[in-house]
């Protein structure tokens, strides 16, 4: 038989052609385990697997293990807490969370909210809160915890019992505007650090952003440790996410990075309640099996937490493996039906499948069958899984926790297709919920949705506070206090840009030189960290494109294993150098990963108390358009850092074409309140903007980040007058006057198009038309300041335009909506004409592109001719 036929024969074999021989192999293996133990058995299996993977056999192991708990009962540690008290506390959290959502919707039907997600995850949270989630304090750095967004009501319910939120706060869930009038604090719908800056640490409301962010935060902690900036050893990153959320591409996009970096400081808990918003996650399949394959294949340690303690006796009595076989043939859609039905249905439909299963259920009442817990609802089993995850080394760990969505909601929502949107319960449902969890509520208290908080000296409250004190304090809690970091004097690192003397260079080239100078600056700072060491250059495999290869040798590329090879270009001054203490984060071709890495560095001041300053440089089109949601989440998390949109604009990146040419990033950036977006034309302008940003973030400690676009076009760089610096920061300044007499037209331009505007002004001057040129460094900052100007105040843009009369022509390399932002603030009586690059990009030369879009010098001059009523010179 040929090798190919052998492979096909083995693959197609559906039956056992020699059961006796198979039994002998099985007995031999069991004897090996019994005689020499599991370690020897694993070694032998590894050796056999090497042989089996040979081309002659072509076998690989199945990545899915049986549908049972990974931690067997005999390996469970003793539960260290008071089980009865913890169950009471979890029940109280469930009730207060439910009451909060239902009350809000009873009063205001449009507020929304979610009950079912937290109902399924409550026990997963409580074990973490009581035994694993460590808080940051003066003695320890603490853990980072990413909370499932739809479970926010449960986190508020716990904070209420802890005394961190009041009953009035809970009564104003999702009422952030009206709450202060009632002396309360409005609670945001999901984790939002911008809205609750002392409470939430990580924004997770946008599905998929939390998972990838948690991975890069875990990696950044290693970066801090390896660069000897902060010792993060022993700290964990915990993420509680939903199985439906795993459908988001971002959730899965960095799994291999986590395993490649051996991030054993990372633990994910995936709440597998088998339902997403509309119905089953995998109705015709099994999401736990699918996720196990994905995570195992990516190199993660997988812990399955599927069945509660009540199942242990059933598994012990099941000598034939009937349960495991039944689970193996039950798809999630059917499992959801089992969750929604009562004990009688499950006796008939599940245990009634065959005689073996029926015998296992003998002696159990329907109520006992109904109360059989899935693993994610059993505190003892959860603790065992968390303990195994916390102790595991060498790999990130995922816990696949089997739960019921809407657990305990009975006919009102447990396992129902509509449970995600369930926000209202009738009186009978409320009483049933009270009875299900033995809550100390009267009928009246239950039906009126009264919040319940035990007395301060009750055993439950003393226990709750004691457990959190043992773990360092309360969570979630965001801290923002950090040291002021002195910023070097601008002239020390950017004199070449301020006094450029007409030298030709691109603003990208100027930025790289500026960054290189900053990376040499040893200005001492707090915690003994020199200024240069706080900078975090980040690229997504484009450093050579931006002329940054010289930084490879200067500061190195961070690698958790150093450099185990001799690079091909080792003799070059630009050789590729990886190092354990490397400073550059080279993220490969992953803008999503790079922005997640940037966010981790940009929020280090609050997450770790160590201010860092990231500079992420990328193709501008691959920022706000490609990963705009992640940038918005970074804004929510109050990030401080620089985003550098290089090769920016629609006409500066000539040959690349449609999907590389950016004409809209400044439009999107303007929608983010704490993003300051600038489009400087000259190196001196760029240097002043970088200096101002560093001072705002590191000295003034403002929760802002800067977006600065850079061009790859070389042209003469003028000196920047000292008097122009304030205008650069405010959004614009008078660059120059052209022609004789009072200006008849004002020309405004930004970025690379400013050079076209200047050439147009020179052309007009030769034709006898005087003009003034205004360099606009930020259309959005001009518009924001004008919108915020109070009565009697003159906006900066109005002042810039108020000294002249006649039409105003505004040109940009972005869509016309960008300069249109200031139209309302143009002085009355002045015509305002905008030129931009609306439409799709094209591939051609810069000159051809600018002519095509009507933003080159002749187009600007032609617009001026038309505006002043003169025929075009063309």
């Amino acid at each position: 038989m040929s090798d190919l036929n052998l492979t096909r024969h083995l693959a197609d074999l559906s039956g056992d052609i020699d059961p006796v021989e198979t039994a002998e192999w099985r007995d031999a293996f069991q004897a090996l385990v019994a005689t020499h133990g599991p370690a020897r058995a694993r070694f032998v299996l590894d050796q056999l697997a090497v042989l089996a993977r040979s081309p002659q056999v072509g076998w690989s192991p199945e990545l899915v293990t049986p549908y049972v708990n990974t931690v067997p009962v005999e390996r469970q540690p003793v539960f260290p807490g008071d089980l009865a008290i913890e169950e009471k506390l979890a029940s109280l959290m469930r009730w207060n969370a439910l009451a909060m959502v239902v009350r809000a919707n009873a009063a205001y039907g449009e507020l929304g909210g979610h009950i079912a997600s937290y109902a399924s995850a409550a026990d997963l949270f409580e074990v973490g809160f009581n035994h694993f989630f460590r808080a940051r304090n003066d003695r320890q750095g603490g853990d980072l915890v990413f909370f499932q967004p739809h479970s926010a009501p449960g986190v508020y319910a716990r904070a209420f019992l802890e005394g961190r939120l009041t009953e009035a706060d809970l009564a104003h869930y999702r009422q952030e505007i009206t709450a202060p009038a009632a002396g309360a604090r409005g609670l945001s719908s999901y984790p939002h650090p911008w809205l609750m800056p002392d409470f939430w640490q990580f924004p997770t409301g946008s599905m998929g952003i939390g998972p990838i962010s948690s991975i890069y935060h875990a990696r950044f902690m290693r970066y801090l440790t390896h660069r000897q900036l902060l010792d993060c050893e022993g700290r964990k990153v915990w993420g509680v996410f939903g199985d439906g959320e795993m459908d988001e591409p971002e959730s899965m996009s960095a799994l291999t990075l986590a395993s490649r970096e051996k991030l054993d400081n990372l633990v994910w808990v995936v709440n597998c309640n088998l339902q997403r918003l509309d119905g089953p996650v995998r109705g015709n399949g099994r999401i736990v099996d699918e996720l196990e394959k994905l995570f195992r294949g990516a190199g993660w340690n997988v812990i399955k937490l599927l069945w509660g303690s009540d199942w242990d006796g059933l598994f012990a009595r099941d000598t034939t493996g009937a349960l495991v076989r039944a689970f193996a043939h039950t798809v999630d859609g059917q499992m959801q039906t089992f969750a929604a039905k009562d004990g009688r249905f499950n006796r008939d439909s599940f245990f009634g499948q065959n005689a073996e299963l029926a015998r296992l259920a003998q002696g159990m009442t329907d109520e006992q069958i109904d109360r059989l817990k899935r693993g994610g609802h059993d505190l003892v089993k959860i603790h065992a899984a968390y303990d195994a995850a916390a102790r595991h080394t060498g790999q990130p760990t995922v816990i696949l926790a089997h739960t019921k969505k809407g657990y305990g909601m009975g006919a009102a929502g447990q396992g129902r297709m509509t449970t995600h949107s369930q926000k209202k319960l009738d009186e009978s449902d409320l009483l049933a919920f009270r009875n299900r969890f033995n809550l100390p509520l009267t009928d009246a208290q239950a039906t009126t949705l009264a919040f319940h908080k035990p007395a301060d000296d009750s055993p439950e409250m003393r226990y709750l506070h004691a457990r959190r004190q043992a773990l360092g304090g309360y969570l979630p809690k965001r801290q923002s206090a950090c040291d002021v970091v002195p910023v070097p004097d601008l002239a020390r690192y950017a004199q070449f840009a301020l006094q450029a003397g007409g030298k030709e260079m691109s603003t990208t080239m100027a930025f790289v030189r500026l960054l290189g100078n900053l990376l040499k600056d040893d200005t001492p700072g707090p915690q003994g960290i020199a200024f240069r060491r706080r900078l975090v250059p980040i690229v997504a495999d484009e450093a050579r494109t931006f002329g940054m290869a010289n930084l490879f040798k200067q500061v190195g590329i961070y690698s958790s294993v150093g450099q185990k090879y001799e690079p091909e270009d080792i003799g070059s001054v630009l050789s590729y150098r990886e190092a354990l203490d490397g400073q550059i984060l080279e993220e490969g071709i992953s803008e999503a990963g790079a922005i997640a890495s940037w966010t981790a560095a940009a929020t280090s001041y609050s997450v770790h108390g160590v201010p860092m300053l990231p500079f992420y440089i990328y193709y501008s089109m691959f920022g706000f358009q490609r990963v705009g949601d992640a940038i918005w989440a970074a804004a929510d998390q109050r990030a401080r850092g620089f985003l550098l949109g290089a090769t920016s604009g629609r006409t500066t990146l000539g040959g690349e074409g449609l999907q590389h040419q950016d004409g809209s990033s400044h439009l999107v950036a303007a929608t983010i309140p704490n993003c300051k977006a600038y489009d400087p034309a000259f190196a001196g302008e760029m240097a002043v903007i970088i200096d101002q940003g560093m001072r705002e973030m590191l000295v003034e400690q403002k929760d802002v980040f800067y977006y600065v676009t850079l061009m790859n076009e070389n042209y003469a760089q003028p000196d920047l007058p000292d008097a122009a610096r304030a205008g650069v920061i405010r959004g614009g300044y008078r660059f120059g006057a052209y022609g004789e007499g009072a200006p008849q037209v004002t020309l405004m331009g930004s970025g690379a198009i400013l050079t076209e505007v200047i050439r147009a002004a020179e052309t007009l001057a030769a034709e006898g038309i005087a003009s003034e040129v205004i360099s606009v460094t930020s259309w959005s900052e001009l518009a924001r300041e004008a919108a915020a100007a109070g009565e009697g105040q003159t906006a900066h843009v109005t002042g810039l335009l108020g000294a002249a009369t006649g039409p105003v022509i505004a040109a940009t390399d972005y869509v016309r909506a960008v300069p249109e932002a200031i139209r309302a603030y143009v002085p009355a009586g002045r015509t305002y004409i905008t030129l931009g690059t609306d439409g799709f990009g094209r591939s051609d030369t810069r000159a051809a592109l600018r002519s095509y879009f009507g933003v080159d010098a002749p187009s600007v001059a032609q617009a001026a001719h038309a505006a002043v009523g003169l025929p075009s010179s063309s």
Side-chain angles (χ1 to χ4, degrees):
M1 182 181 291
S2 70
D3 292 344
L4 180 61
N5 288 335
L6 173 62
T7 301
R8 184 181 295 124
H9 170 75
L10 292 173
D12 292 343
L13 193 61
S14 58
D16 190 343
I17 61 173
D18 193 343
V20 175
E21 183 184 34
T22 303
E24 290 174 353
W25 278 95
R26 188 181 299 113
D27 292 343
F29 181 73
Q30 290 174 338
L32 174 68
V33 176
T35 305
H36 296 288
R40 175 62 180 167
R42 287 192 293 270
F43 175 81
V44 171
L45 287 174
D46 287 340
Q47 297 303 305
L48 291 173
V50 171
L51 294 174
R53 291 192 186 103
S54 67
Q56 289 81 4
V57 179
W59 172 89
S60 61
E62 174 62 60
L63 292 175
V64 173
T65 57
Y67 208 72
V68 297
N69 293 339
T70 300
V71 181
V73 65
E74 61 269 17
R75 293 217 319 264
Q76 284 180 200
V78 175
F79 187 74
D82 187 316
L83 188 58
I85 287 182
E86 291 193 26
E87 287 180 341
K88 288 181 182 178
L89 287 170
S91 296
L92 288 174
M93 311 296 181
R94 279 193 173 90
W95 172 258
N96 286 328
L98 177 148
M100 176 171 36
V101 175
V102 176
R103 283 175 63 163
N105 281 279
Y108 307 97
E110 76 251 43
L111 288 180
H114 302 279
I115 303 170
S117 292
Y118 177 69
S120 68
D123 298 301
L124 299 173
F125 283 133
E126 282 306 298
V127 171
F129 276 123
N130 287 322
H131 301 284
F132 293 95
F133 300 163
R134 293 170 298 174
R136 176 180 152 198
N137 56 35
D138 294 338
R139 302 179 304 280
Q140 64 184 30
D143 296 335
L144 282 55
V145 185
F146 289 74
F147 291 98
Q148 188 181 18
H150 291 129
S151 294
V155 181
Y156 294 141
R158 168 170 264 270
F160 168 58
L161 292 192
E162 292 169 340
R164 299 196 295 144
L165 294 177
T166 68
E167 185 170 324
D169 297 335
L170 264 60
H172 287 84
Y173 172 60
R174 294 193 172 194
Q175 299 164 61
E176 298 161 68
I177 297 173
T178 56
R185 176 180 192 173
L187 304 182
S188 61
S189 55
Y190 305 122
H192 291 307
W194 189 265
L195 299 174
M196 298 180 69
D198 61 343
F199 192 88
W200 293 115
Q201 194 169 37
F202 304 108
T204 54
S206 186
M207 294 293 187
I209 303 298
I212 189 173
S213 183
S214 71
I215 291 174
Y216 281 88
H217 270 282
R219 202 277 296 267
F220 189 71
M221 289 164 68
R222 290 287 173 82
Y223 175 88
L224 291 173
T225 298
H226 288 155
R227 295 197 56 231
Q228 299 181 359
L229 296 166
L230 180 69
D231 185 1
C232 295
E233 288 300 320
R235 298 171 63 191
K236 294 284 187 185
V237 178
W238 296 84
V240 184
F241 310 116
D243 51 355
E245 187 173 4
M246 296 300 104
D247 285 346
E248 288 284 3
E250 294 88 351
S251 296
M252 295 296 185
S253 62
L255 296 187
T256 54
L257 177 137
S259 59
R260 184 172 68 247
E261 297 288 307
K262 296 180 172 58
L263 297 181
D264 51 16
N265 61 339
L266 176 66
V267 179
W268 279 12
V269 181
V270 179
N271 177 21
C272 297
N273 60 30
L274 314 186
Q275 289 184 246
R276 47 191 178 203
L277 309 190
D278 291 335
V281 178
R282 296 290 184 272
N284 296 307
R286 289 144 60 86
I287 188 61
V288 169
D289 288 353
E290 182 179 319
L291 293 177
E292 183 179 19
K293 287 181 184 179
L294 282 167
F295 282 96
R296 283 194 191 281
W300 286 52
N301 173 45
V302 178
I303 296 175
K304 288 156 78 168
L305 170 60
L306 305 180
W307 307 110
S309 300
D310 292 340
W311 287 89
D312 289 341
L314 293 174
F315 280 112
R317 297 200 304 273
D318 180 21
T319 58
T320 65
L323 275 176
V324 174
R325 287 195 301 275
F327 291 145
H329 295 92
T330 304
V331 296
D332 285 354
Q334 187 62 47
M335 197 71 77
Q336 178 188 348
T337 300
F338 291 148
K341 301 298 184 179
D342 59 14
R344 168 53 62 181
F345 178 90
N346 283 284
R347 178 190 297 279
D348 296 339
S349 300
F350 180 75
F351 289 103
Q353 294 180 74
N354 55 57
E356 293 172 298
L357 291 174
R359 280 195 295 272
L360 290 176
Q362 283 180 353
M364 297 179 69
T365 66
D366 290 347
E367 184 180 7
Q368 286 175 320
I369 292 175
D370 191 47
R371 292 296 184 97
L372 285 171
K373 289 181 178 178
R374 295 182 180 178
H377 301 307
D378 187 309
L379 301 182
V380 173
K381 296 294 185 182
I382 297 169
H383 179 271
Y386 283 21
D387 179 73
R391 289 186 291 102
H392 188 77
T393 59
Q395 292 172 288
T397 293
V398 61
I399 298 170
L400 303 177
H402 193 191
T403 66
K404 296 179 181 180
K405 192 161 187 177
Y407 178 65
M409 293 173 66
Q414 180 171 291
R416 304 286 177 179
M417 291 290 189
T418 58
T419 190
H420 187 78
S421 302
Q422 188 71 37
K423 302 168 182 65
K424 298 178 181 179
L425 286 82
D426 61 27
E427 290 189 1
S428 61
D429 294 329
L430 294 171
L431 292 173
F433 190 94
R434 178 207 54 189
N435 296 338
R436 170 69 179 79
F437 293 105
N438 298 315
L439 294 163
L441 300 169
T442 66
D443 287 0
Q445 289 172 326
T447 55
T448 58
L449 295 161
F451 295 122
H452 183 77
K453 183 177 182 181
D456 291 342
D457 61 351
S458 66
E460 293 82 6
M461 294 298 284
R462 290 202 304 270
Y463 184 90
L464 178 143
H465 290 294
R467 291 310 310 145
R468 285 316 309 162
Q469 290 307 311
L471 291 167
Y474 300 99
L475 286 174
K477 181 179 180 181
R478 181 180 178 275
Q479 302 179 51
S480 57
C482 64
D483 293 316
V484 169
V485 176
V487 172
D489 183 72
L490 177 59
R492 283 175 51 183
Y493 62 87
Q495 191 64 24
F496 75 93
L498 300 173
Q499 301 294 322
K503 182 178 180 180
E504 284 202 357
M505 69 180 91
S506 68
T507 51
T508 298
M509 183 189 306
F511 167 74
V512 172
R513 181 175 174 184
L514 179 150
L515 180 62
N517 290 343
L518 285 173
L519 287 167
K520 299 174 185 175
D521 194 289
D522 279 317
T523 300
Q527 302 163 311
I529 301 174
F531 184 81
R532 62 179 174 80
R533 300 186 64 222
R534 294 186 186 273
L535 308 185
V536 186
I538 302 173
V539 291
D541 202 43
E542 292 165 335
R544 296 186 192 277
T545 300
F546 305 135
M548 296 174 63
N550 62 305
L551 299 181
F552 292 166
K553 259 196 171 178
Q554 180 181 335
V555 296
I557 298 164
Y558 170 69
S559 167
S560 61
V561 295
Q563 190 164 37
K564 296 182 177 180
Y565 61 94
E566 184 177 280
E568 171 273 329
D569 59 353
I570 192 169
S572 167
V573 294
L574 304 179
S575 65
Y576 199 81
R577 184 174 76 88
E578 298 185 74
L580 185 65
D581 62 349
Q583 198 159 351
I584 300 170
L585 290 174
E586 161 60 91
E587 303 300 3
I589 306 175
S590 173
E591 288 83 8
I595 195 65
S597 201
W598 179 84
T599 302
T603 57
S604 177
Y605 75 95
S606 65
V607 175
H608 305 292
V610 179
M612 302 293 288
L613 192 64
F615 291 84
Y616 170 31
I617 184 170
Y618 57 89
Y619 268 52
S620 65
M621 190 64 157
F622 302 150
F624 286 86
Q625 176 163 311
R626 184 74 174 264
V627 290
D629 197 14
I631 296 174
W632 183 263
D636 190 349
Q637 201 175 329
R638 297 171 172 257
R640 300 174 184 173
F642 288 92
L643 297 175
L644 292 309
T647 57
S648 65
R650 187 148 281 164
T651 68
T652 54
L653 189 61
E656 292 286 335
L658 174 61
Q659 286 187 266
H660 282 64
Q661 291 172 342
D662 168 29
S664 58
S665 66
H666 275 284
L667 190 63
V668 182
T671 67
I672 300 180
N674 53 337
C675 173
K676 293 192 171 185
Y678 289 91
D679 185 32
F682 300 123
E685 297 172 353
M686 180 271 300
V688 168
I689 291 164
I690 296 294
D691 178 71
Q692 175 68 16
M694 292 194 299
R695 296 182 187 282
E696 281 195 67
M697 297 178 226
L698 296 176
V699 179
E700 300 171 34
Q701 298 190 353
K702 292 182 179 179
D703 293 340
V704 297
F705 65 98
Y706 275 47
Y707 173 56
V708 184
T709 42
L710 306 172
M711 278 69 70
N712 63 338
E713 181 180 358
N714 291 323
Y715 46 76
Q717 300 287 335
D719 295 345
L720 182 72
D722 290 344
R725 295 188 185 185
V728 168
I729 300 305
R730 296 180 73 180
Y733 65 98
R734 287 188 180 85
F735 178 79
Y738 297 80
E740 299 295 329
Q744 298 165 263
V745 63
T746 297
L747 306 180
M748 305 178 78
S750 65
I753 300 304
L754 180 62
T755 60
E756 302 288 340
V757 168
I758 293 170
R759 283 197 286 273
E762 292 168 346
T763 298
L764 293 172
E767 297 171 348
I769 302 174
S771 67
E772 64 173 355
V773 171
I774 293 177
S775 174
V776 177
T777 53
S778 176
W779 301 98
S780 55
E781 286 302 297
L782 288 176
R784 284 177 180 175
E785 186 199 56
E791 187 177 348
Q793 295 179 316
T794 300
H796 181 57
V797 63
T798 305
L800 282 174
L801 298 175
T805 59
V808 180
I809 313 298
T812 175
D813 214 8
Y814 295 86
V815 294
R816 291 177 56 245
V818 172
E820 284 290 333
I822 67 167
R823 177 177 292 278
Y825 313 109
V826 174
R830 301 200 69 180
T831 301
Y832 185 61
I833 299 170
T834 56
L835 305 178
T837 56
D838 293 49
F840 287 118
R842 299 288 192 280
S843 294
D844 216 307
T845 64
R846 290 193 186 104
L849 288 169
R850 289 172 183 169
S851 175
Y852 173 82
F853 284 108
V855 293
D856 61 348
S859 298
V860 175
Q862 183 179 354
H865 284 129
V868 298
L870 295 176
S872 171
S873 59
S874 61

